[in-house]
Amino acid sequence: MLRLFTRSTRNIPLCQRFSSTLTADKYPNIKRGDFGKINDEDINHFSKILSPNQLITDSNDITGYNQDWMKKYIGQSKLVLKPKTTEQVSEILKYCNQRKLAVVPQGGNTGLVGGSVPVFDEIVISLASMNNIRSFDQSSGILKVDAGVILENADNYLSENGYIFPLDLGAKGSCFVGGNVATNAGGLRLLRYGSLHGSVLGLEVVLADGTIYNSMHSLRKDNTGYDLKQLFIGSEGSLGIITGVSILCPARPKSVNVAFLGLENYEQVTKCFQKAKSELGEILSAFEFMDKDSQLLAAQTLKTTHPLCQDDIEGIESVPEYPFYVLLETSGSNKEHDDIKLEKFLEDVMESEIVVDGTVSQDEQQLKTLWTWREGIAEASQQFGGVYKYDVSLPLDSMYKLVESVKERLNELELSSTEDNKKPVYEAVGYGHIGDGNLHLNVAVREYNKEVEKALEPFVYEFIESHKGSISAEHGLGFQKKNYIKYSKSETEINMMKDLKKHYDPNGILNPYKYI
Amino acid sequence: MSSKIKILVPVKRVIDAALKPRINKTKTGIESQGVKFSINPFDDIAVEEACKIRKNNKGLVESIHAVTIGSTKAKEVLRTALARGADTSTLIEINEDKQIEPLAVSKILKKIVEKEGSNFVILGKQAIDDDSNQVGQMLAGLLGWSQATNAAKIIIENDNLIKVEREIDGGVEVIEAPLPIVITTDLRLNEPKFIKLPMMMKAKKKPLGVLKPEDLNVEINDRLETISLDVPPTRKAGVMVKNVDELISKLKELEKQA
């Protein structure tokens, strides 16, 4: 699987050098909450609920659970629990709540804001062992799964039944469906299938005191009372632990085309998007843009020939001189119909010179290859040691200005260079989902350091606030953005959120130090 | 070079190589409803190579003609070939559910070679749907031409001499032959590039003729009969053993069963 998201196993000495810093040491202002400390009695109690292989106390085995995949946040948990049933989760939380033991729920641990790893010694509750597909209704397309089912497995299962999971993202080979819902993941096909707030029909959630909230029904319409499940979608484990998901899945498109285009400037990218919406209409399923520097980064890890290069060269040399690239996907039920529409659209944008160069996939292999030049950017961004990631919503016209401003700022402060290895920053690149007004700003760095952090924050957040954007479009708040929520939400809103949190988790044991 | 090269590239429309084919309910063939079809990857390599030969040997190649046998839907693989750089193309139209056997294909291709005056045929070593690996060889036999199969490298030597390298166990075999020649392509020959949009648009204006087998006076007779298709039996799940003794006893048990 080309698009399978591999957690980097490459040797990155710089990354390892900086990986030894504990989150607690990096942020000395954050103090451990007034939580209980795990003792032998606690372990004994958990041993009664779970079988021995569901309990991890060996420090070597815990390492992977203590750090995020970017190795940016490193906790000090001494205990990982891997429940297999909702009842086990309930018993664990009931006990933790009584004992005031802090917990951090963890899915595939592919998060980008440090939301799924401990900060201090919180107990990690991994959903990895809850990985059964519960049921699928062939006529309605409603899928019910355990929270720990890997997204790609769910999609492969649906594929055999002629359906598709309404969410797709780069980390699909590792991330869990439960984690996707808990973080309200957006991904690559939001443009077509909408957000999880729309497609999730019901949830099974264990609250802080062990109460099981169950709304795993299969109703598309249900106007009785508050829509409680919405509270948990995007709550990042702060209100409860999602153990089951009921989700409405659309029919799998029979015909998929991918075009990869080269454009002269950002304005043409937005023009191209408008044209795509009006000419392709309902078959447009993704519209992604990438700047040239992001392609140069990707070329260094992909080590293949760029799709728009005509010579037999590989890697960085093969990336042509276009400042912007667009990956456009159409999905429909009738190939002839889609082909005619796409052809007409491509002719129009070429003739009107909105697009100066481009290609269309001729087979499945090419289709996958084209996607790697978009999906590969995330991994490529940290090849030099690390990456500062910002995932923001901005109005389309000012979207790329953020990348330009950050580049300018890093250059002014003399922090950035692609050649000089002594500079902490390699390059800032921009790409993302034009269709959703969602920009990813990745600052590829050779090391994580305070100077770079100060140059970026709150600069980036202030820019977003002044342009009426959101500081987190889809990655969430987690640990990284906890203190910056005020740039996107009013005081009233934040207070309402805090009230909810206090009500459902009075002891604050669920995923502390994060979110709000 | 005394004579100019006129290239013919036969291509086939097959189920996309990246998809897992499913056997149909009647077990007589592969399920083709709602499945993506693409150009046979080996044939795509052949078209790419034909274009490369033209590019790397200025003025040597007079024309590249692509041909396919199939329903009107097969026109799309001809468009791919034309977009890649073929000049003209022909569809030999047959009924959609008609399976046509390698010998009949070779006979039709022989007629096209004669019609087009080709002296250089390059095609995939096999189509990935039936994996027959016969057409290139049969065509060379029918025409009485030289043949070089599974080409991993093609070098146009001076004065009417083609050098073909094929990968064999432990080394490379080099074949030299004069025109006319039939060459079949291996995966190693080249990696087809992405086709640029302007080429795709130009391809729509390039000639695409349609003929019927009757027009070529070829009679299609089936000589083979497919009795039934079945998927290979699935592998049994493995067993965990605790120690060497258990392993040995398990092996003995299995031997008895076998």
Side-chain angles (χ1 to χ4, degrees):
Chain A
M1 285 269 96
L2 264 171
R3 260 194 277 159
L4 195 127
F5 186 87
T6 47
R7 289 205 211 147
S8 185
T9 47
R10 215 167 286 124
N11 257 335
I12 307 167
L14 266 171
C15 183
Q16 279 159 5
R17 198 165 87 216
F18 290 89
S19 70
S20 55
T21 320
L22 296 170
T23 310
D25 294 340
K26 252 165 90 181
Y27 302 91
N29 294 338
I30 295 167
K31 300 281 179 249
R32 187 181 181 279
D34 186 20
F35 298 112
K37 287 198 174 168
I38 302 165
N39 54 37
D40 290 349
E41 211 178 300
D42 299 327
I43 305 275
N44 270 341
H45 185 88
F46 292 130
S47 309
K48 278 180 222 152
I49 305 171
L50 306 168
S51 60
N53 59 0
Q54 294 174 263
L55 225 89
I56 307 175
T57 48
D58 183 284
S59 63
N60 285 328
D61 295 346
I62 290 180
T63 312
Y65 297 90
N66 258 328
Q67 60 190 23
D68 68 324
W69 68 277
M70 297 182 293
K71 296 180 181 161
K72 212 168 150 188
Y73 301 98
I74 297 160
Q76 309 157 52
S77 180
K78 304 270 188 296
L79 178 66
V80 176
L81 303 177
K82 297 173 83 176
K84 283 189 173 153
T85 64
T86 308
E87 288 68 32
Q88 287 177 346
V89 178
S90 164
E91 282 188 53
I92 293 167
L93 281 188
K94 195 173 165 189
Y95 181 80
C96 289
N97 194 40
Q98 281 161 6
R99 277 272 296 122
K100 288 200 182 172
L101 293 169
V103 301
V104 48
Q106 191 175 89
N109 200 6
T110 60
L112 298 163
V113 289
S116 62
V117 286
V119 178
F120 292 97
D121 58 346
E122 299 95 285
I123 299 170
V124 176
I125 299 182
S126 166
L127 278 302
S129 298
M130 289 188 67
N131 53 10
N132 289 320
I133 288 171
R134 296 188 189 177
S135 68
F136 179 66
D137 186 309
Q138 185 68 38
S139 51
S140 66
I142 294 169
L143 175 75
K144 294 181 183 177
V145 292
D146 283 351
V149 170
I150 290 173
L151 177 59
E152 192 165 42
N153 294 353
D155 191 52
N156 287 343
Y157 173 84
L158 287 165
S159 166
E160 283 164 24
N161 292 287
Y163 283 82
I164 187 170
F165 203 91
L167 170 78
D168 186 19
L169 64 158
K172 66 163 159 273
S174 317
C175 65
F176 295 176
V177 172
N180 295 144
V181 175
T183 54
N184 189 21
L188 302 162
R189 310 248 154 84
L190 188 127
L191 178 67
R192 175 70 173 273
Y193 301 120
S195 110
L196 290 174
H197 278 293
S199 44
V200 171
L201 297 181
L203 290 177
E204 182 186 76
V205 185
V206 180
L207 305 181
D209 64 358
T211 306
I212 299 171
Y213 155 81
N214 186 336
S215 68
M216 290 284 284
H217 47 59
S218 323
L219 307 173
R220 288 203 64 177
K221 298 171 109 177
D222 176 21
N223 274 354
T224 50
Y226 298 124
D227 193 358
L228 292 173
K229 66 172 185 284
Q230 301 296 358
L231 274 181
F232 300 97
I233 302 174
S235 67
E236 300 182 29
S238 65
L239 292 179
I241 299 182
I242 297 173
T243 52
V245 176
S246 165
I247 188 163
L248 181 66
C249 302
R252 200 170 195 89
K254 290 196 180 74
S255 144
V256 179
N257 283 314
V258 169
F260 200 97
L261 313 169
L263 303 95
E264 292 287 13
N265 56 52
Y266 180 72
E267 202 194 327
Q268 305 290 19
V269 175
T270 56
K271 271 192 198 160
C272 184
F273 178 51
Q274 284 168 29
K275 261 246 155 349
K277 275 194 297 185
S278 69
E279 289 196 23
L280 298 171
E282 81 290 349
I283 63 165
L284 182 65
S285 57
F287 193 101
E288 304 281 313
F289 95 104
M290 300 143 269
D291 66 6
K292 187 183 167 216
D293 288 328
S294 73
Q295 296 298 284
L296 290 173
L297 275 188
Q300 291 174 68
T301 46
L302 294 174
K303 294 190 175 71
T304 51
T305 306
H306 193 273
L308 297 188
C309 174
Q310 276 305 290
D311 298 311
D312 284 320
I313 39 174
E314 288 176 358
I316 201 160
E317 302 292 317
S318 74
V319 179
E321 285 297 315
Y322 308 114
F324 289 95
Y325 295 88
V326 160
L327 183 151
L328 175 154
E329 186 191 74
T330 64
S331 312
S333 56
N334 182 325
K335 185 170 166 27
E336 281 78 35
H337 167 262
D338 293 5
D339 286 356
I340 291 168
K341 269 187 165 176
L342 183 62
E343 250 171 52
K344 169 84 172 47
F345 162 77
L346 291 171
E347 261 170 38
D348 284 0
V349 287
M350 286 292 281
E351 265 163 32
S352 55
E353 287 173 5
I354 292 172
V355 165
V356 282
D357 198 358
T359 185
V360 179
S361 63
Q362 300 292 313
D363 54 44
E364 284 295 303
Q365 191 53 49
Q366 288 197 346
L367 189 149
K368 284 178 185 161
T369 306
L370 290 177
W371 267 112
T372 60
W373 285 88
R374 160 64 185 84
E375 291 188 315
I377 302 171
E379 200 189 344
S381 297
Q382 54 166 3
Q383 61 186 307
F384 303 102
V387 57
Y388 288 95
K389 288 176 97 90
Y390 297 93
D391 142 62
V392 307
S393 275
L394 279 169
L396 274 193
D397 52 345
S398 58
M399 197 155 125
Y400 197 71
K401 275 189 204 139
L402 173 63
V403 183
E404 287 164 344
S405 312
V406 166
K407 274 178 192 274
E408 213 172 283
R409 184 172 163 85
L410 291 170
N411 284 331
E412 268 169 26
L413 295 169
E414 294 182 356
L415 289 169
S416 175
S417 168
T418 51
E419 279 135 32
D420 184 356
N421 284 334
K422 289 190 188 71
K423 303 278 187 212
V425 177
Y426 179 85
E427 182 76 281
V429 307
Y431 61 101
H433 323 291
I434 283 279
D436 320 328
N438 180 187
L439 169 82
H440 292 309
L441 164 66
N442 278 11
V443 183
V445 294
R446 298 187 173 90
E447 56 179 284
Y448 292 123
N449 94 17
K450 282 277 169 204
E451 215 182 333
V452 179
E453 220 157 284
K454 272 186 197 146
L456 294 171
E457 295 171 19
F459 178 83
V460 171
Y461 299 130
E462 280 165 2
F463 181 98
I464 296 159
E465 189 184 29
S466 67
H467 288 84
K468 306 233 176 321
S470 166
I471 63 159
S472 178
E474 58 178 8
H475 292 172
L477 295 165
F479 182 79
Q480 186 195 358
K481 294 176 185 170
K482 175 184 190 275
N483 295 327
Y484 301 105
I485 185 173
K486 61 175 189 285
Y487 290 103
S488 294
K489 290 281 186 291
S490 71
E491 212 184 318
T492 316
E493 287 171 297
I494 295 170
N495 283 336
M496 285 174 75
M497 289 183 203
K498 284 188 171 161
D499 285 347
L500 274 171
K501 169 78 177 167
K502 255 180 237 157
H503 181 78
Y504 286 109
D505 182 18
N507 295 327
I509 60 161
L510 287 171
N511 220 2
Y513 322 109
K514 295 163 196 159
Y515 204 61
I516 46 166
Chain B
M1 184 73 79
S2 47
S3 60
K4 284 219 172 188
I5 301 181
K6 291 185 87 175
I7 303 179
L8 179 74
V9 198
V11 296
K12 188 175 183 184
R13 177 177 179 267
V14 296
I15 286 182
D16 194 282
L19 303 178
K20 195 177 162 200
R22 287 196 312 268
I23 292 172
N24 65 13
K25 287 203 180 82
T26 51
K27 293 196 171 183
T28 52
I30 301 298
E31 183 61 59
S32 60
Q33 286 298 313
V35 179
K36 180 165 180 164
F37 281 75
S38 302
I39 186 168
N40 176 34
F42 293 109
D43 296 340
D44 206 20
I45 291 172
V47 183
E48 176 84 7
E49 192 64 21
C51 301
K52 268 179 124 171
I53 292 171
R54 164 143 69 190
K55 197 177 154 198
N56 297 337
N57 300 277
K58 282 258 154 6
L60 187 65
V61 175
E62 191 182 315
S63 65
I64 302 175
H65 186 83
V67 60
T68 192
I69 305 169
S71 70
T72 50
K73 285 184 183 158
K75 278 182 183 171
E76 61 193 52
V77 297
L78 289 178
R79 291 283 174 217
T80 304
L82 291 169
R84 217 172 254 309
D87 308 304
T88 51
S89 63
T90 309
L91 166 70
I92 314 296
E93 195 181 345
I94 55 167
N95 206 327
E96 188 169 353
D97 32 298
K98 176 83 192 141
Q99 289 293 325
I100 179 165
E101 292 171 11
L103 180 61
V105 173
S106 309
K107 284 180 179 169
I108 293 173
L109 291 180
K110 177 171 182 271
K111 294 282 184 181
I112 296 292
V113 165
E114 286 160 0
K115 189 170 171 287
E116 294 293 322
S118 321
N119 54 7
F120 188 112
V121 178
I122 182 165
L123 71 164
K125 65 171 181 178
Q126 65 199 67
I128 58 155
D129 49 1
D130 57 14
D131 284 333
S132 292
N133 192 341
Q134 292 172 354
V135 169
Q137 294 87 326
M138 284 187 186
L139 179 61
L142 289 174
L143 288 164
W145 290 8
S146 319
Q147 59 171 301
T149 55
N150 299 21
K153 194 172 182 184
I154 300 173
I155 303 154
I156 310 292
E157 291 282 342
N158 52 13
D159 214 19
N160 223 352
L161 194 65
I162 316 291
K163 207 164 147 183
V164 172
E165 292 184 8
R166 359 171 36 231
E167 290 181 354
I168 52 169
D169 285 346
V172 175
E173 182 183 16
V174 183
I175 295 174
E176 287 184 338
L179 290 177
I181 190 170
V182 175
I183 299 176
T184 70
T185 62
D186 206 346
L187 213 52
R188 202 63 64 98
L189 188 57
N190 64 52
E191 207 175 313
K193 293 193 182 55
F194 284 94
I195 302 170
K196 299 291 202 77
L197 288 178
M199 291 292 280
M200 285 183 199
M201 283 164 200
K202 252 188 242 163
K204 290 209 288 189
K205 298 191 182 83
K206 288 183 182 176
L208 196 163
V210 181
L211 291 173
K212 300 255 181 205
E214 303 89 88
D215 301 335
L216 298 166
N217 291 321
V218 179
E219 228 178 288
I220 299 177
N221 297 316
D222 285 347
R223 293 161 173 248
L224 307 171
E225 189 191 351
T226 303
I227 311 292
S228 178
L229 282 178
D230 253 312
V231 286
T234 48
R235 198 175 145 264
K236 275 187 192 155
V239 266
M240 297 287 275
V241 288
K242 286 200 180 73
N243 48 44
V244 179
D245 291 345
E246 201 186 325
L247 175 67
I248 291 167
S249 70
K250 266 272 176 315
L251 285 174
K252 280 182 181 162
E253 217 175 280
L254 286 172
E255 201 189 359
K256 262 182 223 155
Q257 283 171 19

